Structure formats: structure tokens, C-alpha cells
Amino acid sequence: MLFPHDWTAWDREDGAAVDAAAVAQLESGGILLFPQLAFEVRAAERDFFVPSMAIAKNVSFDPASGRVGGARATGDEAVALGSWLRRFSDSAAALVDAALPDYRGRLERGRASFRPAEIAGRQTSWRHDDTRLHVDSFPATPVQGRRILRVFTNVNPEGRPRTWRVGEAFDRVALRFHGRFRLPFPLTAAVLRAVRITKTRRSPYDTLMLQLHDLMKADGAYQASAVQTEVSFSAGSTWVAFTDAVSHAATSGQYQLEQTFLLPVEAMLQPEASPLRILERLTRRPLV
Ligand code: SIN
Ligand code: FE
């Protein structure tokens, strides 16, 4: 499931060829791994590396507005934190642009995040517990069927890895849980939008993906028995995956950067491999 690429730069200004197989690897549920692609942290930026930098779990960065959210930094430190996250966000965008030329012009850049908390032993509700296998879906920002592509880089200054468990393929997960789906009433989406729980209308697809996320995490027997493989991402490595389809659990690690991109299903080489099309086949109805 890991597809290593020996890149050492975030852009391809060195003119090296891109790997034509990368898109197919990603779309079939693989993780593109860049073991030698580290994100540079300058000396002054080391000050951000305290768990208390995040008010809750993550610090967020919106590249469109430049706004930093959820951070304790103020004044000059807040400005420097924003510059650091901007540099990372731009690097992640350069990476996907170079590595995935088939998606050029179709990827929409979303938020970035800095995750300074140790994952192992963190106390959360089951729904927020990312140490349980799940696929990603966003409660507040519906994607309307679009794919969630994420770039992660482990910036742990002590050289500690980030460990995940990776579960079974999306079509198997969907097959296992779709009998427990509750298709939403159309009115619910309008109400959620009207009271601004969601920022845009939540599509039936978004509702089912949230249900899948919850059904997976809530099912202790599934968590224990699902086929899963431990994966260790070393400090100084970077990886890319469609986390709406790759079943994953983050089990340990501290200090990570992440950038989210959204991709329309029609921009995929194999749209039929998308969670949207898989769920539409299972439920026999259009979901966006
Ligand atoms: C997740 O998306 O479940 C968390 C991934 C991570 O923070 O490593
Ligand atoms: Fe996740």
C-alpha cells in the first residue's frame, strides 16, 4: 500500500521526471511515500513546537485568507506562525502540482493544519478518537462528493515516527457497513444549512460518509478484527493519500503538518473508484 518516491525537493525545479504511476497508485487506495522529503523548520520556528500551541487539537491555517485558527500565539509569534504555515501550504501545493500533473488546475486547496499533540493516550470521545480506524469526512464543510486528498509531513524534532494502522480497501468497508446506513431526509440538509451547522448544503453523500466514519469508529469488534497493517512514517518523511477512502488510524506520534485538497470526481482517471461512485452503486441512487 506504500509507494515510495525518492524526491528530496517539494517542487521539480530540478527537472527530474514525475512518476507517471503516482495517480493510479493513489486512486487505487495507495499512499505515496516520500521518505526523504523533509519540511524545513528554521531555528526561530522551533518555538512553535509545544503541545500548548494548539488551543484544542490542531492549529489551522486558511491559505485563502491567511488566517491562523486555534493557536495560542499572539503578536509577532502569530505572524511568524502564519508565515511558517503559508510556506508549508505552498510547498504542499507545489508537491501535488509536480507529482500529480493529471490533476493540475482541478485541485482546490483547502486548510492546512499543525498537529502538536501526542496522539497516543490522548483522551477524546470515540467520535473524535483518530486512533480508531476510519475514513475522513467533514461535519461542518460538506464536500458534495469531491475527494479529500491530504499531504502529511512528520516534523517531529526528536526524530520520532508517526504510526498509523491502515485497514481494508474502501469498497470492502462500504460493503460491510452500508446495510446500517440511514438515508437522510432532504429537509435535514436544509435545516443544518439554515442554522449554519454546515457552511454549505450537506449532500446525501456527505451524510453517508459521516455515518460510515461513525459506524467504523463505534464498532469495537470491527476495530479489533478488521485486517490492518501498521505503518511507520519516519520523522522527515512526507506522504500523500485520499483519506476519504484509505481506512486509517493514527496511533502515535507528535508534531505533524497537513494540507487538504479537494478534487472533483470527474477529474480522476478512474471516477468509478471514488467513494461517491462506490456508495451510489451500493445504494442505487444519486448521492449529490
Ligand atoms: C487522521 O486523519 O485520522 C489523523 C492523521 C494524523 O494526524 O496522522
Ligand atoms: Fe483521519
Side-chain angles (χ1 to χ4, degrees), residues 115 119 130 134 136 150 152 162 164 239 243 248 250 256:
R115 306 175 174 203
I119 296 169
D130 288 337
H134 66 281
D136 285 347
R150 291 184 138 171
F152 300 93
R162 198 167 194 90
W164 281 17
W239 61 105
T243 54
H248 61 284
Q256 163 166 269

Side-chain angles (χ1 to χ4, degrees), residues 148-275:
I148 300 172
L149 181 73
R150 291 184 138 171
V151 174
F152 300 93
T153 191
N154 180 353
V155 284
N156 187 284
E158 293 145 18
R160 282 197 285 128
R162 198 167 194 90
T163 54
W164 281 17
R165 281 178 287 107
V166 176
E168 58 192 356
F170 185 86
D171 52 352
R172 311 212 111 245
V173 177
L175 202 56
R176 192 180 295 263
F177 288 103
H178 84 281
R180 291 196 245 160
F181 283 164
R182 295 288 166 262
L183 279 158
F185 294 107
L187 202 59
T188 313
V191 170
L192 289 174
R193 172 70 192 108
V195 302
R196 294 171 194 258
I197 288 176
T198 57
K199 290 175 186 148
T200 56
R201 186 72 73 95
R202 185 182 283 172
S203 66
Y205 170 76
D206 290 287
T207 301
L208 294 189
M209 288 297 285
L210 284 170
Q211 288 181 19
L212 189 56
H213 169 276
D214 288 359
L215 286 166
M216 292 173 79
K217 281 188 175 174
D219 188 334
Y222 177 72
Q223 292 293 327
S225 66
V227 174
Q228 47 199 292
T229 309
E230 187 165 295
V231 179
S232 175
F233 300 105
S234 56
S237 74
T238 296
W239 61 105
V240 183
F242 280 116
T243 54
D244 53 1
V246 174
S247 166
H248 61 284
T251 47
S252 70
Q254 190 179 12
Y255 301 117
Q256 163 166 269
L257 289 164
E258 170 272 332
Q259 170 68 53
T260 298
F261 298 89
L262 297 176
L263 181 77
V265 163
E266 315 80 65
M268 296 174 65
L269 297 187
Q270 312 162 67
E272 67 282 2
S274 65

